[in-house]
Amino acid sequence: MTYRIPGRRAAALAAFALAVCTAWTGTVVPTARAEERTAAVAAEAAEGAGPLTPATRFYVDPDSGAARQAAVDAAAGDTDDAANMTRLAGLPQAAWFTGGTPAEVRAEAADLVARAGAAGQVPVLVAYNVPGRDCGLYSHGGATSSAAYREWITALAEGVGDAPAVVVLEPDGLAALPEDCAGSVDPTGELTSARLADLGFAVTTLKQRPGTAVYLDAGNSQWRAVGDMARRLIDAGVARADGFSLNVSNFQPTDHQTRYGTWVSRCVWFATEGPEWGRGHTDWCASQYYSAAAPNDGRPGNAVSADDPTTWHWTDAWYDQSAGQPSIADLTHFVVDTSRNGRGPWQPDAGTYADPETWCNPPGRGMGPRPTADTGTPLVDAYLYVKTIGESDGSCTRGTAGPADPVYGVVDPPAGAWWPDFAHALARDAEPALLP
């Protein structure tokens, strides 16, 4: 199995979870013929720019990890957790494609889009198989070569076919280029050039499918500076994509991502289609770290801080004063992963851990805004649950000798493994709260 939608061998549990989901959430199982629903979704995609419109319904897998956990919790008499898992099971989440042979990924992608089409819904796929992914850390792996990756991406695109689909392309693939990895991983820059070329190939190949919307991943507002990320997106072919994705598997607040994404979008325009004097100069763009429009005189509030959104008006000011006034139609759009950002990032007391690894299974977090393509924000095409809610980020040690995570007192499951306690906590602490 090469993508993280659980198999359907547990048919009885899936049926139970779907039945409970209907009771708790009021979800109605469609009764129209599958081919009519598929045709309706395809027609909607043909009329607009790709499959996304404010009325888009994203695919809900009836045999998700949450659905099966709901059955386990119900059988154990844990009614509160069973109810929350059932509510979670009624919400759409992305399917992660992380490896496998071209034949396997082709078949599995085709199966996914067929099931989504039969339900009158649009699936969200995550392509996560680029060579050298995650700098060899917790989520290491990926294709063994550029040639192998390109064959794999081609097969994924063939599996999707002409059906409506959304693809989030290679989380962290741009924010953590080989040149950024620790040690002398890429001394000549050859691997970084290959990464950018591979991502460009993936964008072109996936966009050859008429119903596919493609979003190149661009990290989050606490990572790369605006101009740096804009340059990477341009080099990877964002002009041929539908846009970029933010906050995948992270916890940054939605409004922070919207602000950051807008700056990235305006920087891309400034350096490619904007005033002549700015062409090619993403390095001049104001960011979450610096703005030339600020006094920068050392007084409190007179410089931009990535940790203090009250200072971000200086960044807004630079774009308003220096970067021109592009129309919304000329700017690059983006999507935001809101799967776990309901309570924002974790901030342990200073000095508690040598390396708090705030991105890794942080405690006290919660699910964020529900998935929708009706965001009310012109540049934000959708809020999505990209990270599978309930899967571990890896075995965190937070600077200790380990192997236990000092936050939980246990060894965290490996990256991508289902963790019931983590799933329960994220659902219980959701903001906005999960309601029947």
Side-chain angles (χ1 to χ4, degrees):
M1 185 67 71
T2 62
Y3 65 108
R4 298 208 297 259
I5 285 183
R8 278 178 298 286
R9 290 177 290 180
L13 291 181
F16 173 86
L18 184 58
V20 177
C21 179
T22 302
W24 275 91
T25 68
T27 300
V28 178
V29 179
T31 57
R33 291 184 303 167
E35 58 269 25
E36 292 177 348
R37 295 195 295 273
T38 303
V41 174
E44 182 179 279
E47 292 174 1
L52 293 184
T53 73
T56 295
R57 296 168 59 238
F58 296 111
Y59 178 61
V60 178
D61 176 28
D63 187 34
S64 66
R68 293 188 287 138
Q69 187 64 48
V72 171
D73 293 338
D78 185 354
T79 56
D80 288 343
D81 282 334
N84 274 335
M85 288 298 96
T86 298
R87 292 163 188 153
L88 172 55
L91 297 171
Q93 299 188 63
W96 286 63
F97 289 73
T98 63
T101 68
E104 289 171 340
V105 75
R106 184 184 297 109
E108 289 161 358
D111 177 63
L112 174 62
V113 298
R115 285 186 280 116
Q121 298 171 341
V122 175
V124 179
L125 299 78
V126 182
Y128 190 53
N129 194 38
V130 75
R133 73 178 185 217
D134 197 33
C135 288
L137 299 175
Y138 290 162
S139 296
H140 64 276
T144 57
S145 67
S146 289
Y149 179 70
R150 295 183 181 209
E151 187 178 1
W152 185 87
I153 277 288
T154 299
L156 178 67
E158 291 170 349
V160 171
D162 296 343
V166 174
V167 177
V168 174
L169 185 57
E170 299 299 341
D172 301 348
L174 281 177
L177 291 170
E179 68 184 19
D180 303 316
C181 300
S184 301
V185 173
D186 189 23
T188 66
E190 181 179 359
L191 295 178
T192 294
S193 295
R195 168 73 60 80
L196 293 170
D198 286 344
L199 292 176
F201 175 87
V203 170
T204 299
T205 301
L206 290 164
K207 283 305 297 178
Q208 289 174 348
R209 315 313 304 191
T212 301
V214 180
Y215 295 90
L216 267 167
D217 191 66
N220 62 72
S221 61
Q222 286 288 318
W223 205 340
R224 298 295 167 193
V226 169
D228 186 10
M229 182 48 66
R231 168 50 53 194
R232 295 172 187 226
L233 284 167
I234 293 168
D235 290 346
V238 73
R240 302 188 302 277
D242 293 85
F244 54 92
S245 56
L246 294 174
N247 207 43
V248 172
S249 299
N250 213 283
F251 303 84
Q252 304 305 317
T254 303
D255 58 341
H256 292 194
Q257 302 319 292
T258 300
R259 197 92 164 265
Y260 174 74
T262 299
W263 295 333
V264 171
S265 182
R266 293 189 71 176
C267 183
V268 168
W269 180 86
F270 168 76
T272 56
E273 304 293 334
E276 190 68 32
W277 59 270
R279 302 288 176 88
H281 284 289
T282 58
D283 56 314
W284 291 352
C285 291
S287 76
Q288 73 275 41
Y289 301 113
Y290 175 80
S291 170
N296 297 306
D297 58 8
R299 296 182 180 180
N302 278 3
V304 177
S305 169
D307 298 318
D308 184 3
T310 67
T311 66
W312 291 2
H313 64 92
W314 296 119
T315 302
D316 291 330
W318 185 88
Y319 286 98
D320 292 342
Q321 297 167 9
S322 306
Q325 297 296 327
S327 68
I328 291 296
D330 292 331
L331 293 174
T332 307
H333 289 213
F334 55 96
V335 297
V336 180
D337 182 3
T338 59
S339 58
R340 307 189 298 178
N341 71 346
R343 301 196 176 195
W346 176 49
Q347 296 179 328
D349 292 337
T352 304
Y353 305 105
D355 179 3
E357 295 179 309
T358 57
W359 55 269
C360 191
N361 301 327
R365 304 307 89 198
M367 296 162 51
R370 308 297 176 256
T372 180
D374 188 9
T375 67
T377 302
L379 289 182
V380 183
D381 286 350
Y383 300 138
L384 302 172
Y385 283 176
V386 180
K387 171 67 176 181
T388 304
I389 299 168
E391 288 188 354
S392 174
D393 295 314
S395 298
C396 326
T397 59
R398 311 194 193 279
T400 68
D405 182 338
V407 168
Y408 300 102
V410 299
V411 176
D412 302 347
W418 180 257
W419 190 1
D421 288 347
F422 199 35
H424 291 151
L426 289 166
R428 182 174 58 250
D429 295 332
E431 289 287 347
L434 289 174
L435 298 174

